[in-house]
Amino acid sequence: MWSGIASYRSASPDRGCDTNIAVTVWVVNRAREVPVRLSIANRVSLACAALVGVSFLLLLAGLNVGHGIHVANTRVEALSQALLRDDGRELLQQDLRIDLVALARRREQGVVVPHAKWADLSRRLDTFATLTARDHAPHVTARESVATRQAAQAWVRASRQLAAVAQSDPPRIQQAVPNYVAALRRLETTQFAEREALARAIGVAVHANSEQSNRNILRMLVGGLLIVLIVTAMATWLRTQLLSPIAAIATRLRNFDADAPSAHLPGLTRDDELGDLSRGLAEYHGAVVERRVAERRADYLARHDVLTGLANRLQFEDRLARELAHSRATGVTLGLLAIDMDDFKAINDRHGHAGGDRALRRAAEILQACAGPDDLVARLGGDEFAILQIGAVQPAAAEALAKQVLECAAATAREPIEIRMSIGMAIAAGDLGREELHNAADLALYGAKADGRNRARLFDATLRERERLRARLARDLQHAVAQHQLHLVFQPIADAATLAIIGYEAFARWNHPELGDVAPDLFIPVAERSGLIEEIGLWLADQAFAAAAGWDESLSLSLNLSPIQFRTPGFAQSVLSRARRHGVATSRLEFEVTENAMAVGVQRGEVLQAFRILQAEGARIVMDDFGTGHSTLSNLKDFNFDKLKIDRSFIAELHDHESSAMIVKTTIALGKSLGLKVVAEGVETPVQLAELKLWGCDQIQGYLIGRPEPKPRRATAAPAAGLYIAR
């Protein structure tokens, strides 16, 4: 048993080490075969597994130590028990020896010893013999124990012989004593040898137990130290490789700063969860940076014109509102310059949209170069610009700025695209609001254009009176239809060859109760700007259809349409339905439009669609004031016109300017080549009529034929000697 236990103690640690080495080798080989991402979870799991493994080994070592201590203690205890038994036997043997010697001496002296004494001695010798035969000493003293047992048995026999001699034949006691003494000496010698062996065995066991305890304590200390080292390494790793980076990342998140470089984030190159977290934060940082860039870009685009880089209408209006509020609080005056490019449509026609964009950018450069550092230059849309002049003496500063802009624009005459501008100036003072300031600048701009363009005009008392008149007309025009202040007049249109009246053009007139007759050139723009043109236009069309219903069916009716009317959905159908209601055939209708109606930007397609609807019902479309607008030839290409009307300005200068005569002649030839009828308006003299007939003009209109009248009258051909003019 003891050899088996010793074998287990020596082999168990070796087998544990072999098993751990085998497991480690298997894990390493497995790791080489299957690449494993060393994530934080894997690393912590491996560290915990190592800690658990070391703790388990330490537990096994502790159990082994405990078992060893138990075995050593058992051995020492067994040896001690054997020593105690030897002491007991020796004491018993001493008592027996003393009693036997005493009884033998008494018999030599002739004293009678009671039989009970001899029986008790015999019984005690039997007990000693039994104890000696039954007790076994540990294996380390087996040889000595056997010798002691044999000597004890021999001493017991010698004692019995001596007792028998003493009891039966006392004289022979001296003869039996030598044999007894020899047996006694042998027993004492073997007992001493056994005790010496037991003492040595106890000393060896105690020494071995002490050494084993020291080794076990050392092993436990080493194991505990290893666990402490592992725990310390884990704590250090967790602090340096996990907790500190996580704390740094948390700090970056708590105090997030998109301007801080993301390259300073810890763990960006790590291939674990912390690396994923750092890279995620870096990606978030990049997304935030991109979003801020996008927001700045969106804010820039929302407040700047993409083409020119100038402020747009939104930014301009915000700044104007703030500056007006500051002006009302401090009394500082502001200057507003409304600027339009002249002949911008012609630039687009000649140079294309790319050329138009270059012209807009060039105009923006001129305005930006001329404006002061505190001024705000904006593109409000299309070819409309504005400058808000701040912190200057007005109106001198605005006039000086306008002069400088015109001079810089004039210098572009030598460039591929010449820039020409009209400028309207208005000064903000007192409680003048934003809309009033814009209206004042726009009125000044209209005045500059009316004066011949490429010039500047300041909003003055004359324009102010005109604006007041416009505001009054806009207010009174709202009730003009209901109060029957509007009416129609009709001017005849004649065949140029026969001078026979072929139709009439309807004109609106306004008989104001206080202002008298208001010219159409004055109240029609007011109606357009105030949004009343749609209502008034349909009312006038209805009145014209009612009048034409009583004419000869061979006479046509020509109506002027405003560009604003095309903004109303279903406008063409509304006009046609009114004509049908009055029984006027659509084939008798002609609708005159200026080229402004074809230059309404995104509504150009809607205008074209309205034309197609009207023409599909048999009505004719007439281009009015041909030659005075922009993109004339382009409009002829895109829109299917039925008739061209030459503007009266060319007819008036027919004999005074050769260029006007050439334009009229060319227009007539162009109409012929396109299969279009050509009408000349503003014909007032027979000489003009003769020239127009010579060039092949189809129809004429003007005072020579007849003035506009509320009730049209038919005119007939005059005698050969002259003309009959309807008056």
Side-chain angles (χ1 to χ4, degrees):
M1 179 180 69
W2 302 115
S3 63
I5 294 176
S7 175
Y8 170 80
R9 289 177 58 200
S10 60
S12 178
D14 295 337
R15 285 199 299 269
C17 293
D18 294 341
T19 302
N20 292 333
I21 293 173
V23 171
T24 304
V25 171
W26 181 87
V27 170
V28 172
N29 292 335
R30 185 63 178 169
R32 292 176 179 174
E33 295 175 1
V34 181
V36 179
R37 179 188 180 189
L38 291 179
S39 64
I40 292 176
N42 292 336
R43 294 179 186 180
V44 173
S45 298
L46 289 176
C48 291
L51 182 61
V52 171
V54 172
S55 300
F56 181 73
L57 293 177
L58 189 61
L59 177 61
L60 291 179
L63 293 175
N64 192 20
V65 168
H67 179 71
I69 293 174
H70 174 71
V71 171
N73 290 336
T74 303
R75 179 178 174 79
V76 171
E77 183 179 0
L79 292 173
S80 299
Q81 291 295 331
L83 185 59
L84 290 175
R85 287 194 299 271
D86 286 348
D87 289 341
R89 287 195 303 269
E90 186 176 355
L91 291 175
L92 180 60
Q93 182 261 339
Q94 288 178 359
D95 291 340
L96 289 172
R97 183 186 63 194
I98 293 171
D99 291 343
L100 178 61
V101 171
L103 290 176
R105 285 178 180 178
R106 290 176 65 183
R107 288 295 294 164
E108 280 182 337
Q109 295 173 1
V111 178
V112 178
V113 177
H115 178 74
K117 290 285 185 179
W118 294 110
D120 179 67
L121 179 63
S122 177
R123 181 181 55 78
R124 291 165 62 193
L125 285 173
D126 291 340
T127 301
F128 179 78
T130 302
L131 290 175
T132 303
R134 186 179 60 191
D135 292 339
H136 298 285
H139 69 281
V140 295
T141 60
R143 182 169 56 84
E144 291 80 358
S145 297
V146 172
T148 301
R149 189 166 54 250
Q150 292 175 353
Q153 292 174 357
W155 179 77
V156 169
R157 286 194 299 270
S159 296
R160 289 183 183 280
Q161 291 176 358
L162 179 60
V165 171
Q167 185 178 3
S168 62
D169 191 7
R172 292 179 57 191
I173 291 176
Q174 292 298 324
Q175 296 178 358
V177 167
N179 184 37
Y180 172 77
V181 171
L184 179 60
R185 287 179 178 176
R186 181 183 175 189
L187 176 60
E188 290 178 347
T189 301
T190 56
Q191 285 180 340
F192 179 79
E194 185 178 3
R195 289 176 64 84
E196 287 291 328
L198 285 174
R200 287 194 302 271
I202 291 174
V204 171
V206 171
H207 179 71
N209 194 11
S210 177
E211 289 185 349
Q212 183 66 28
S213 297
N214 292 334
R215 286 195 299 272
N216 291 336
I217 291 173
L218 181 61
R219 290 173 183 174
M220 296 297 291
L221 289 176
V222 171
L225 180 61
L226 182 59
I227 292 178
V228 171
L229 290 177
I230 292 176
V231 172
T232 303
M234 288 180 63
T236 303
W237 180 83
L238 287 174
R239 179 178 178 80
T240 59
Q241 300 296 319
L242 186 62
L243 298 180
S244 295
I246 289 178
I249 293 174
T251 301
R252 287 291 297 272
L253 284 173
R254 187 167 51 252
N255 304 318
F256 185 81
D257 183 8
D259 297 327
S262 60
H264 293 167
L265 286 172
L268 281 174
T269 59
R270 291 176 54 165
D271 188 20
D272 54 20
E273 294 90 341
L274 186 61
D276 295 339
L277 181 60
S278 296
R279 286 186 290 274
L281 180 57
E283 292 176 0
Y284 174 72
H285 179 275
V288 171
V289 171
E290 291 179 359
R291 180 178 178 180
R292 288 191 177 182
V293 171
E295 288 176 349
R296 294 191 187 102
R297 178 62 178 169
D299 182 69
Y300 178 85
L301 293 177
R303 300 180 64 81
H304 290 80
D305 177 59
V306 178
L307 178 63
T308 62
L310 298 177
N312 61 7
R313 183 182 293 275
L314 175 63
Q315 182 180 355
F316 186 83
E317 295 297 335
D318 289 345
R319 178 75 177 277
L320 178 58
R322 292 197 305 270
E323 295 298 338
L324 283 174
H326 182 261
S327 174
R328 286 190 289 269
T330 61
V332 177
T333 57
L334 302 175
L336 176 61
L337 283 72
I339 304 167
D340 271 5
M341 294 180 62
D342 295 334
D343 301 324
F344 181 68
K345 289 293 293 181
I347 293 176
N348 269 333
D349 292 339
R350 288 194 300 269
H351 302 281
H353 291 294
D357 291 345
R358 289 196 300 272
L360 290 171
R361 285 193 291 267
R362 184 71 178 97
E365 292 174 0
I366 293 173
L367 298 177
Q368 195 72 48
C370 295
D374 297 328
D375 300 342
L376 179 62
V377 182
R379 181 190 176 201
L380 304 183
D383 61 338
E384 300 178 25
F385 295 87
I387 299 178
L388 180 60
Q389 199 173 41
I390 305 168
V393 178
Q394 299 295 353
E399 293 175 341
L401 177 58
K403 180 180 179 181
Q404 185 180 2
V405 169
L406 293 176
E407 290 176 352
C408 292
T412 62
R414 297 183 295 272
E415 298 178 5
I417 301 178
E418 182 181 3
I419 306 299
R420 297 166 64 87
M421 300 181 185
S422 296
I423 304 174
M425 299 171 288
I427 308 303
D431 295 332
L432 190 64
R434 185 175 59 181
E435 290 297 327
E436 292 82 356
L437 185 62
H438 271 300
N439 291 336
D442 289 342
L443 285 174
L445 176 62
Y446 298 151
K449 289 181 175 293
D451 291 342
R453 302 186 179 183
N454 194 32
R455 64 194 64 208
R457 182 163 182 180
L458 178 66
F459 182 77
D460 52 14
T462 302
L463 291 176
R464 185 175 292 106
E465 287 300 324
R466 185 181 299 177
E467 174 62 14
R468 289 175 180 172
L469 177 59
R470 187 202 66 80
R472 180 179 180 181
L473 292 178
R475 183 181 66 252
D476 296 344
L477 193 58
Q478 297 178 4
H479 311 288
V481 174
Q483 296 176 1
H484 306 289
Q485 297 175 8
L486 296 178
H487 63 276
L488 289 177
V489 294
F490 301 90
Q491 185 176 28
I493 303 173
D495 182 271
T498 64
L499 299 182
I501 304 301
I502 60 175
Y504 292 90
E505 180 179 359
F507 295 101
R509 294 290 186 264
W510 183 12
N511 185 14
H512 194 280
E514 297 178 3
L515 302 177
D517 290 333
V518 181
D521 293 343
L522 187 57
F523 76 83
I524 291 298
V526 172
E528 291 178 338
R529 294 180 61 181
S530 61
L532 296 173
I533 190 63
E534 299 173 5
E535 176 187 353
I536 294 176
L538 290 177
W539 181 84
L540 292 176
D542 193 74
Q543 297 298 312
F545 295 148
W551 300 349
D552 189 288
E553 292 185 357
S554 63
L555 295 176
S556 64
L557 172 63
S558 183
L559 293 175
N560 289 279
L561 298 180
S562 168
I564 308 301
Q565 291 177 272
F566 292 100
R567 298 177 182 175
T568 305
F571 164 72
Q573 292 87 343
S574 298
V575 173
L576 293 175
S577 65
R578 282 169 169 76
R580 297 190 191 98
R581 187 166 63 246
H582 291 285
V584 178
T586 54
S587 58
R588 297 174 56 192
L589 302 180
E590 294 182 353
F591 297 98
E592 298 187 11
V593 292
T594 62
E595 292 184 80
N596 291 333
M598 290 157 277
V600 290
V602 295
Q603 295 177 341
R604 186 177 176 91
E606 298 177 4
V607 174
L608 179 59
Q609 181 65 23
F611 284 3
R612 289 173 179 171
I613 293 174
L614 295 174
Q615 289 175 323
E617 295 294 331
R620 292 177 293 278
I621 304 299
V622 181
M623 180 185 283
D624 195 10
D625 300 335
F626 182 80
T628 61
H630 306 309
S631 303
T632 298
L633 298 180
S634 176
N635 289 328
L636 286 178
K637 174 176 66 68
D638 296 337
F639 295 87
N640 185 21
F641 289 99
D642 300 291
K643 187 183 294 186
L644 302 179
K645 180 174 283 191
I646 304 174
D647 187 69
R648 65 178 66 251
S649 61
F650 297 110
I651 304 300
E653 298 177 349
L654 191 63
H655 299 289
D656 299 330
H657 295 85
E658 184 178 352
S659 59
S660 296
M662 184 59 66
I663 290 174
V664 173
K665 185 176 180 180
T666 303
T667 300
I668 295 173
L670 177 64
K672 294 292 185 182
S673 65
L674 295 176
L676 305 178
K677 296 287 185 179
V678 180
V679 184
E681 62 177 356
V683 179
E684 297 183 355
T685 66
V687 177
Q688 293 172 343
L689 174 61
E691 293 288 348
L692 292 172
K693 292 174 62 175
L694 179 63
W695 294 334
C697 183
D698 299 298
Q699 300 172 5
I700 60 174
Q701 181 180 357
Y703 289 171
L704 183 63
I705 303 301
R707 293 177 179 273
E709 296 180 358
K711 293 182 180 181
R713 292 183 293 131
R714 292 291 302 271
T716 57
L723 295 174
Y724 174 79
I725 302 175
R727 297 187 184 275

